[in-house]
Amino acid sequence: MPVTHFRVRWPDQSEATCYSPSSVVSEFFVAGQDYALEEFLVRARQALGSASERVRARYGYACSSAMDQLEQIESTAARFGAQPDATVRVLGFGR
C-alpha cells in the first residue's frame, strides 16, 4: 500500500500535490487527463475514500490524512464552482 502523490492543475492554472495513503488513487485518475470539476470531485471522494478504507483494513483505523486531503481538495474546488466549464487536469503520480 505505497503512499502515492498526485499532481493536479486547477482551473486558474495553479498546481497542487495531493496525498493518498494508497496507490489505489491511480485507478480513479489518468495522468494527463482533464476532468470536469464535478467529475474530479466525485473521483477524488471515491479514490481517497477507498485509500482510507485500505488503511482501515490493514491497520484497524481510517486514514485521517486522506480525509484531510479530500477536505483541502473540496475547499479549493469551491473557488471554481461558479465556472460552468471548470476543469482539473491530473498531471501525474509519484511516490
Side-chain angles (χ1 to χ4, degrees), residues 5 8 15 30 32-33 35 37 39 46-47 54-55 61-62 64 67 69 71 73 79 83 88-90 95:
H5 293 90
V8 299
E15 295 182 7
V30 176
Q33 180 74 39
Y35 296 92
L37 183 63
E39 181 183 0
Q46 292 171 335
R54 284 186 177 208
V55 170
Y61 53 86
S64 61
M67 296 302 94
Q69 179 63 72
E71 184 178 322
I73 287 170
R79 298 188 341 229
Q83 296 178 21
V88 179
R89 175 170 286 219
V90 174
R95 294 198 176 150

Side-chain angles (χ1 to χ4, degrees), residues 70-82:
L70 180 57
E71 184 178 322
Q72 185 176 5
I73 287 170
E74 290 181 337
S75 176
T76 301
R79 298 188 341 229
F80 308 109

